[in-house]
Coordinates of all heavy atoms in Angstrom, one line a residue:
P1 N -7.6 -4.9 -4.6 CA -8.9 -4.4 -5.1 C -9.0 -2.9 -5.2 O -8.2 -2.2 -4.5 CB -9.9 -5.0 -4.1 CG -9.1 -5.2 -2.9 CD -7.7 -5.5 -3.3
S2 N -9.9 -2.4 -6.0 CA -10.1 -1.0 -6.2 C -10.6 -0.4 -4.9 O -11.3 -1.1 -4.1 CB -11.0 -0.7 -7.3 OG -10.5 -1.2 -8.5
P3 N -10.3 0.9 -4.6 CA -10.9 1.5 -3.4 C -12.4 1.6 -3.6 O -13.0 1.7 -4.7 CB -10.3 2.9 -3.5 CG -9.1 2.9 -4.3 CD -9.4 1.8 -5.3
V4 N -13.1 1.5 -2.4 CA -14.6 1.6 -2.4 C -14.8 3.1 -2.5 O -14.3 3.9 -1.6 CB -15.2 1.0 -1.1 CG1 -16.6 1.3 -1.0 CG2 -14.9 -0.4 -1.0
R5 N -15.6 3.6 -3.4 CA -15.9 5.0 -3.6 C -17.2 5.3 -2.9 O -18.3 4.7 -3.2 CB -16.0 5.3 -5.1 CG -16.1 6.8 -5.4 CD -15.9 6.9 -6.9 NE -16.3 8.2 -7.4 CZ -15.6 9.3 -7.4 NH1 -14.4 9.3 -6.9 NH2 -16.1 10.4 -7.9
I6 N -17.1 6.2 -1.9 CA -18.2 6.5 -1.0 C -18.6 8.0 -1.2 O -17.8 8.9 -1.1 CB -17.9 6.3 0.5 CG1 -17.5 4.8 0.7 CG2 -19.0 6.7 1.4 CD1 -16.9 4.5 2.1
L7 N -19.9 8.2 -1.4 CA -20.5 9.5 -1.5 C -21.2 9.8 -0.2 O -22.1 9.0 0.2 CB -21.4 9.7 -2.7 CG -22.3 10.9 -2.7 CD1 -21.5 12.2 -2.9 CD2 -23.4 10.8 -3.8
D8 N -20.9 10.9 0.5 CA -21.6 11.4 1.7 C -22.4 12.6 1.3 O -21.8 13.7 1.1 CB -20.7 11.6 2.8 CG -21.4 11.9 4.1 OD1 -22.6 11.6 4.2 OD2 -20.8 12.4 5.1
V9 N -23.7 12.5 1.2 CA -24.6 13.7 0.9 C -24.9 14.4 2.2 O -25.2 13.8 3.2 CB -25.9 13.2 0.2 CG1 -26.8 14.3 -0.1 CG2 -25.5 12.4 -1.1
A10 N -24.9 15.7 2.1 CA -25.1 16.6 3.3 C -24.1 16.3 4.4 O -24.4 16.1 5.5 CB -26.5 16.5 3.8
T11 N -22.8 16.3 4.0 CA -21.7 15.8 4.8 C -21.4 16.6 6.0 O -20.9 16.2 7.0 CB -20.4 15.6 3.9 OG1 -19.5 14.8 4.7 CG2 -19.8 17.0 3.6
G12 N -21.8 17.9 6.0 CA -21.4 18.8 7.1 C -19.9 18.8 7.2 O -19.2 19.1 6.3
S13 N -19.4 18.5 8.4 CA -17.9 18.5 8.7 C -17.2 17.3 8.1 O -16.0 17.2 8.2 CB -17.7 18.7 10.2 OG -18.1 17.5 10.9
G14 N -18.0 16.3 7.6 CA -17.4 15.1 7.1 C -17.0 14.1 8.1 O -16.5 13.0 7.8
D15 N -17.4 14.3 9.4 CA -17.0 13.4 10.4 C -17.5 12.0 10.3 O -16.7 11.0 10.6 CB -17.3 14.0 11.8 CG -18.8 14.2 12.0 OD1 -19.5 14.5 11.0 OD2 -19.3 14.1 13.1
V16 N -18.7 11.8 9.9 CA -19.3 10.4 9.7 C -18.5 9.7 8.6 O -18.1 8.6 8.8 CB -20.8 10.5 9.5 CG1 -21.3 9.1 9.2 CG2 -21.5 11.1 10.7
A17 N -18.4 10.3 7.4 CA -17.7 9.7 6.3 C -16.2 9.4 6.7 O -15.7 8.3 6.3 CB -17.8 10.6 5.1
L18 N -15.6 10.3 7.3 CA -14.2 10.1 7.7 C -14.1 9.0 8.7 O -13.1 8.1 8.7 CB -13.6 11.4 8.3 CG -13.3 12.5 7.2 CD1 -13.1 13.8 7.9 CD2 -12.2 12.1 6.3
G19 N -15.1 8.8 9.6 CA -15.1 7.7 10.6 C -15.3 6.4 9.9 O -14.7 5.4 10.2
V20 N -16.2 6.4 8.9 CA -16.4 5.2 8.1 C -15.2 4.7 7.4 O -14.8 3.6 7.4 CB -17.6 5.3 7.1 CG1 -17.7 4.2 6.1 CG2 -18.9 5.5 7.9
A21 N -14.5 5.7 6.8 CA -13.3 5.4 6.0 C -12.2 4.9 7.0 O -11.5 3.9 6.6 CB -12.8 6.7 5.3
A22 N -12.1 5.5 8.2 CA -11.1 5.0 9.2 C -11.4 3.6 9.6 O -10.5 2.7 9.7 CB -11.1 5.9 10.4
R23 N -12.7 3.3 9.8 CA -13.1 1.9 10.2 C -12.8 0.9 9.1 O -12.3 -0.2 9.4 CB -14.6 1.9 10.5 CG -15.1 0.7 11.1 CD -15.5 0.8 12.5 NE -15.8 -0.5 13.0 CZ -16.6 -0.7 14.0 NH1 -17.0 0.4 14.7 NH2 -16.9 -1.8 14.5
L24 N -13.1 1.3 7.9 CA -12.7 0.4 6.8 C -11.2 0.2 6.6 O -10.8 -0.9 6.3 CB -13.4 0.9 5.5 CG -14.9 0.8 5.4 CD1 -15.5 1.5 4.2 CD2 -15.4 -0.6 5.5
A25 N -10.5 1.3 6.8 CA -9.0 1.2 6.7 C -8.5 0.3 7.7 O -7.5 -0.5 7.5 CB -8.4 2.6 6.9
S26 N -9.1 0.2 8.9 CA -8.6 -0.7 9.9 C -8.8 -2.2 9.5 O -8.2 -3.1 10.1 CB -9.3 -0.5 11.3 OG -10.6 -0.9 11.3
R27 N -9.6 -2.4 8.5 CA -9.9 -3.7 8.0 C -9.2 -3.9 6.6 O -9.5 -4.8 5.8 CB -11.4 -4.0 7.9 CG -12.0 -4.1 9.2 CD -13.6 -4.1 9.1 NE -14.2 -4.5 10.3 CZ -14.4 -3.7 11.4 NH1 -13.9 -2.4 11.3 NH2 -15.0 -4.1 12.5
R28 N -8.3 -2.9 6.3 CA -7.5 -2.9 5.1 C -8.4 -2.8 3.8 O -8.1 -3.4 2.8 CB -6.6 -4.2 5.0 CG -5.6 -4.2 6.1 CD -4.6 -5.4 5.8 NE -3.5 -5.3 6.8 CZ -3.3 -6.2 7.8 NH1 -4.1 -7.2 7.9 NH2 -2.3 -6.0 8.6
I29 N -9.4 -2.0 4.0 CA -10.3 -1.7 2.8 C -10.1 -0.2 2.5 O -10.3 0.7 3.3 CB -11.8 -2.0 3.2 CG1 -12.0 -3.4 3.5 CG2 -12.7 -1.5 2.0 CD1 -13.4 -3.7 4.1
A30 N -9.6 0.0 1.3 CA -9.3 1.3 0.8 C -10.5 2.0 0.4 O -11.5 1.4 -0.1 CB -8.3 1.3 -0.4
T31 N -10.6 3.4 0.6 CA -11.8 4.1 0.2 C -11.4 5.4 -0.5 O -10.3 6.0 -0.3 CB -12.6 4.5 1.4 OG1 -11.8 5.2 2.4 CG2 -13.2 3.3 2.1
D32 N -12.2 5.9 -1.4 CA -12.2 7.2 -2.0 C -13.4 7.9 -1.5 O -14.5 7.4 -1.6 CB -12.2 7.2 -3.5 CG -10.9 6.7 -4.1 OD1 -9.8 6.9 -3.4 OD2 -10.9 6.2 -5.2
L33 N -13.3 9.1 -0.8 CA -14.4 9.8 -0.3 C -14.8 11.0 -1.2 O -14.0 11.8 -1.6 CB -14.1 10.3 1.1 CG -13.9 9.3 2.2 CD1 -13.6 10.0 3.5 CD2 -15.1 8.4 2.3
V34 N -16.1 11.1 -1.4 CA -16.7 12.2 -2.1 C -17.7 12.9 -1.1 O -18.6 12.2 -0.7 CB -17.4 11.8 -3.4 CG1 -18.0 13.1 -4.1 CG2 -16.5 11.0 -4.3
L35 N -17.4 14.1 -0.7 CA -18.2 14.8 0.3 C -19.0 15.9 -0.4 O -18.4 16.7 -1.1 CB -17.3 15.4 1.4 CG -16.3 14.4 2.0 CD1 -15.4 15.1 3.1 CD2 -17.0 13.2 2.6
C36 N -20.3 15.8 -0.2 CA -21.2 16.7 -0.9 C -22.0 17.5 0.1 O -22.5 16.9 1.1 CB -22.1 15.9 -1.8 SG -23.3 16.9 -2.7
D37 N -22.1 18.8 0.0 CA -22.9 19.6 0.8 C -23.3 20.9 0.0 O -22.6 21.3 -0.9 CB -22.1 20.0 2.1 CG -23.1 20.4 3.3 OD1 -23.6 21.5 3.2 OD2 -23.2 19.5 4.2
R38 N -24.4 21.6 0.5 CA -24.7 22.8 -0.2 C -24.0 24.0 0.4 O -24.0 25.1 -0.2 CB -26.2 23.1 -0.1 CG -26.7 23.4 1.2 CD -28.2 23.5 1.2 NE -28.7 24.0 2.5 CZ -29.9 24.4 2.8 NH1 -30.8 24.5 1.8 NH2 -30.2 24.8 3.9
S39 N -23.3 23.8 1.5 CA -22.6 24.9 2.2 C -21.1 24.8 1.9 O -20.4 23.9 2.2 CB -22.8 24.7 3.7 OG -21.9 25.6 4.4
A40 N -20.6 25.9 1.3 CA -19.1 26.0 1.0 C -18.4 26.0 2.3 O -17.3 25.5 2.4 CB -18.8 27.2 0.2
T41 N -18.9 26.6 3.4 CA -18.3 26.7 4.7 C -18.2 25.3 5.3 O -17.1 24.9 5.8 CB -19.1 27.6 5.6 OG1 -19.2 28.9 5.1 CG2 -18.5 27.6 7.0
A42 N -19.2 24.5 5.2 CA -19.2 23.1 5.6 C -18.1 22.3 4.9 O -17.4 21.5 5.5 CB -20.5 22.4 5.5
L43 N -18.1 22.4 3.6 CA -17.1 21.7 2.8 C -15.7 22.1 3.1 O -14.8 21.2 3.1 CB -17.4 21.9 1.3 CG -18.6 21.2 0.8 CD1 -18.9 21.6 -0.7 CD2 -18.5 19.7 0.9
A44 N -15.5 23.4 3.4 CA -14.1 23.8 3.8 C -13.7 23.2 5.1 O -12.6 22.7 5.2 CB -14.1 25.3 3.9
E45 N -14.7 23.1 6.0 CA -14.4 22.4 7.3 C -14.1 20.9 7.1 O -13.2 20.3 7.7 CB -15.5 22.6 8.3 CG -15.4 22.0 9.6 CD -14.2 22.4 10.4 OE1 -13.6 23.4 10.1 OE2 -13.9 21.7 11.4
A46 N -14.9 20.3 6.2 CA -14.7 18.9 5.9 C -13.4 18.6 5.3 O -12.7 17.7 5.7 CB -15.8 18.4 5.0
A47 N -12.9 19.5 4.4 CA -11.6 19.3 3.8 C -10.5 19.5 4.8 O -9.5 18.8 4.8 CB -11.5 20.3 2.6
R48 N -10.7 20.5 5.7 CA -9.7 20.7 6.8 C -9.6 19.5 7.7 O -8.6 19.1 8.0 CB -10.1 22.0 7.6 CG -9.1 22.4 8.6 CD -9.6 23.4 9.7 NE -10.6 22.8 10.5 CZ -10.3 21.9 11.6 NH1 -9.1 21.5 11.8 NH2 -11.3 21.4 12.3
C49 N -10.8 18.9 8.1 CA -10.8 17.8 9.0 C -10.1 16.6 8.3 O -9.4 15.8 8.9 CB -12.2 17.4 9.3 SG -13.0 18.5 10.5
A50 N -10.3 16.4 7.0 CA -9.7 15.4 6.2 C -8.2 15.6 6.2 O -7.4 14.6 6.4 CB -10.3 15.3 4.8
R51 N -7.7 16.8 6.0 CA -6.3 17.1 6.0 C -5.7 16.7 7.3 O -4.6 16.2 7.4 CB -6.0 18.5 5.6 CG -6.1 18.8 4.1 CD -5.5 20.2 3.8 NE -6.2 21.3 4.5 CZ -7.3 21.9 4.2 NH1 -8.0 21.5 3.1 NH2 -7.8 22.8 5.0
C52 N -6.4 17.0 8.4 CA -5.9 16.7 9.8 C -5.7 15.2 9.9 O -4.9 14.8 10.8 CB -6.8 17.3 10.8 SG -6.8 19.1 11.0
R53 N -6.4 14.4 9.2 CA -6.3 13.0 9.2 C -5.5 12.4 8.1 O -5.5 11.2 7.8 CB -7.7 12.3 9.2 CG -8.6 12.7 10.4 CD -9.9 12.1 10.3 NE -10.8 12.6 11.4 CZ -11.9 12.0 11.7 NH1 -12.3 10.8 11.1 NH2 -12.7 12.5 12.7
N54 N -4.8 13.3 7.4 CA -4.0 12.9 6.3 C -4.8 12.1 5.2 O -4.3 11.2 4.6 CB -2.8 12.1 6.7 CG -1.8 12.9 7.5 OD1 -1.5 14.0 7.2 ND2 -1.4 12.3 8.6
R55 N -6.0 12.6 5.0 CA -6.9 12.0 4.0 C -7.1 13.0 2.8 O -7.4 14.2 3.0 CB -8.3 11.8 4.6 CG -8.6 10.6 5.4 CD -8.6 9.4 4.6 NE -9.4 9.4 3.4 CZ -9.9 8.3 2.9 NH1 -9.7 7.1 3.5 NH2 -10.5 8.3 1.7
G56 N -7.1 12.5 1.7 CA -7.6 13.2 0.5 C -9.1 13.0 0.3 O -9.5 11.9 0.5
V57 N -9.8 14.0 0.0 CA -11.2 13.9 -0.3 C -11.6 14.7 -1.5 O -10.9 15.7 -1.8 CB -12.1 14.3 0.9 CG1 -11.9 13.4 2.1 CG2 -11.9 15.8 1.3
E58 N -12.6 14.4 -2.2 CA -13.2 15.2 -3.3 C -14.4 15.9 -2.7 O -15.2 15.2 -1.9 CB -13.6 14.3 -4.4 CG -14.3 15.0 -5.6 CD -14.7 14.1 -6.7 OE1 -14.3 12.9 -6.7 OE2 -15.6 14.5 -7.5
T59 N -14.6 17.1 -2.9 CA -15.8 17.9 -2.4 C -16.6 18.4 -3.6 O -16.1 18.7 -4.6 CB -15.4 19.0 -1.5 OG1 -14.6 19.9 -2.2 CG2 -14.6 18.6 -0.3
I60 N -17.9 18.3 -3.4 CA -18.9 18.8 -4.4 C -19.9 19.7 -3.6 O -20.5 19.3 -2.7 CB -19.6 17.7 -5.0 CG1 -18.7 16.7 -5.8 CG2 -20.7 18.2 -6.0 CD1 -19.3 15.5 -6.3
E61 N -19.9 21.0 -4.1 CA -20.9 21.9 -3.5 C -22.2 21.8 -4.4 O -22.2 22.1 -5.6 CB -20.4 23.3 -3.5 CG -21.3 24.3 -2.9 CD -20.8 25.7 -2.8 OE1 -19.6 25.9 -3.0 OE2 -21.6 26.6 -2.6
A62 N -23.3 21.3 -3.8 CA -24.5 21.2 -4.5 C -25.7 21.1 -3.5 O -25.6 20.5 -2.5 CB -24.5 20.0 -5.4
D63 N -26.8 21.7 -3.9 CA -28.1 21.5 -3.1 C -28.8 20.4 -3.8 O -29.5 20.6 -4.8 CB -28.9 22.8 -3.2 CG -30.2 22.7 -2.4 OD1 -30.6 21.6 -2.0 OD2 -30.8 23.8 -2.1
V64 N -28.6 19.2 -3.3 CA -29.1 18.0 -4.0 C -30.7 18.0 -4.0 O -31.2 17.3 -4.9 CB -28.5 16.7 -3.5 CG1 -27.0 16.7 -3.6 CG2 -28.9 16.5 -2.0
L65 N -31.3 18.6 -3.1 CA -32.8 18.6 -3.1 C -33.3 19.5 -4.2 O -34.4 19.3 -4.8 CB -33.3 19.1 -1.8 CG -33.1 18.2 -0.6 CD1 -33.6 18.8 0.7 CD2 -33.7 16.8 -0.8
A66 N -32.5 20.5 -4.6 CA -32.9 21.5 -5.7 C -32.5 21.0 -7.0 O -33.2 21.1 -8.0 CB -32.4 22.9 -5.4
T67 N -31.3 20.4 -7.1 CA -30.7 20.2 -8.4 C -30.3 18.7 -8.6 O -29.8 18.3 -9.7 CB -29.4 21.0 -8.6 OG1 -28.5 20.7 -7.6 CG2 -29.7 22.5 -8.6
G68 N -30.4 17.9 -7.6 CA -30.0 16.5 -7.7 C -28.5 16.4 -7.4 O -27.8 17.4 -7.2
I69 N -28.0 15.2 -7.5 CA -26.6 14.9 -7.3 C -25.8 15.1 -8.6 O -26.1 14.3 -9.6 CB -26.4 13.5 -6.7 CG1 -27.1 13.4 -5.3 CG2 -24.9 13.2 -6.6 CD1 -27.1 12.0 -4.8
P70 N -24.9 16.0 -8.7 CA -24.2 16.2 -9.9 C -23.1 15.2 -10.3 O -21.9 15.5 -10.4 CB -23.6 17.6 -9.7 CG -23.3 17.7 -8.3 CD -24.4 16.9 -7.6
M71 N -23.5 14.0 -10.3 CA -22.6 12.9 -10.6 C -23.3 11.9 -11.6 O -24.5 11.8 -11.6 CB -22.1 12.1 -9.4 CG -21.4 13.0 -8.4 SD -21.0 12.1 -6.9 CE -19.6 11.1 -7.5
A72 N -22.5 11.2 -12.3 CA -23.0 10.2 -13.2 C -23.6 9.0 -12.4 O -23.1 8.7 -11.3 CB -21.9 9.6 -14.1
D73 N -24.7 8.4 -12.9 CA -25.2 7.2 -12.3 C -24.1 6.2 -12.1 O -23.3 6.0 -13.0 CB -26.4 6.6 -13.1 CG -27.6 7.5 -13.1 OD1 -27.7 8.5 -12.2 OD2 -28.5 7.3 -13.9
R74 N -24.2 5.5 -11.0 CA -23.3 4.3 -10.8 C -21.8 4.8 -10.7 O -20.9 3.9 -10.9 CB -23.5 3.2 -11.8 CG -24.9 2.7 -11.7 CD -25.1 1.6 -12.7 NE -26.5 1.2 -12.7 CZ -26.9 0.2 -13.3 NH1 -26.2 -0.6 -14.0 NH2 -28.2 -0.1 -13.3
S75 N -21.5 6.0 -10.3 CA -20.2 6.5 -10.2 C -19.6 6.3 -8.8 O -18.4 6.6 -8.6 CB -20.0 7.9 -10.7 OG -20.8 8.8 -9.9
V76 N -20.4 5.8 -7.9 CA -19.9 5.5 -6.6 C -20.4 4.1 -6.2 O -21.4 3.6 -6.8 CB -20.4 6.5 -5.5 CG1 -19.9 7.9 -5.8 CG2 -21.9 6.6 -5.4
D77 N -19.8 3.5 -5.2 CA -20.2 2.2 -4.7 C -21.2 2.3 -3.6 O -22.1 1.5 -3.5 CB -18.9 1.4 -4.3 CG -17.9 1.2 -5.3 OD1 -18.3 0.7 -6.4 OD2 -16.8 1.7 -5.2
V78 N -21.1 3.3 -2.8 CA -21.9 3.5 -1.6 C -22.3 5.0 -1.6 O -21.5 5.9 -1.7 CB -21.2 3.1 -0.3 CG1 -22.1 3.4 0.9 CG2 -20.8 1.7 -0.4
A79 N -23.6 5.2 -1.4 CA -24.1 6.6 -1.1 C -24.7 6.6 0.3 O -25.4 5.7 0.6 CB -25.1 7.0 -2.2
M80 N -24.4 7.6 1.1 CA -24.9 7.7 2.4 C -25.3 9.1 2.8 O -24.8 10.1 2.1 CB -23.9 7.2 3.4 CG -22.5 7.9 3.4 SD -21.3 7.1 4.5 CE -21.3 8.4 5.8
C81 N -26.2 9.2 3.7 CA -26.6 10.5 4.3 C -27.0 10.3 5.7 O -27.8 9.4 6.0 CB -27.7 11.1 3.4 SG -28.3 12.7 4.0
S82 N -26.4 11.0 6.6 CA -26.8 10.8 8.0 C -27.2 12.1 8.7 O -26.9 13.1 8.2 CB -25.6 10.1 8.8 OG -24.5 11.0 8.8

């Protein structure tokens, strides 16, 4: 099956999304992570944390409250924000 594409809005360091992906991987469910935050510093940290876990991630810098999510409708399977 195709990987589950997960968008994490206001991801911060990406720890929650990376944890979800790890949990799904333990069940043999592949994921593609899209990490979104308005802070370039947070996204850099999230990308660093992903590299430490040998994970590739896509990052999007956006203030979703001001401009919305800069992605096409239905381009992810799961959207989350914690």
Side-chain angles (χ1 to χ4, degrees):
S2 298
V4 176
R5 190 164 163 86
I6 300 172
L7 168 65
D8 186 18
V9 177
T11 196
S13 67
D15 58 328
V16 174
L18 290 165
V20 168
R23 183 110 186 201
L24 291 171
S26 74
R27 291 171 171 77
R28 295 189 173 111
I29 299 171
T31 57
D32 286 335
L33 294 180
V34 181
L35 307 179
C36 179
D37 204 285
R38 69 181 187 169
S39 167
T41 302
L43 288 173
E45 177 63 11
R48 187 195 67 75
C49 289
R51 282 192 304 276
C52 288
R53 297 180 187 199
N54 295 317
R55 274 294 310 206
V57 296
E58 178 183 344
T59 59
I60 299 174
E61 185 178 344
D63 182 346
V64 300
L65 295 178
T67 61
I69 299 170
M71 298 180 73
D73 289 349
R74 300 181 186 190
S75 61
V76 299
D77 301 302
V78 177
M80 58 185 250
C81 180
S82 62

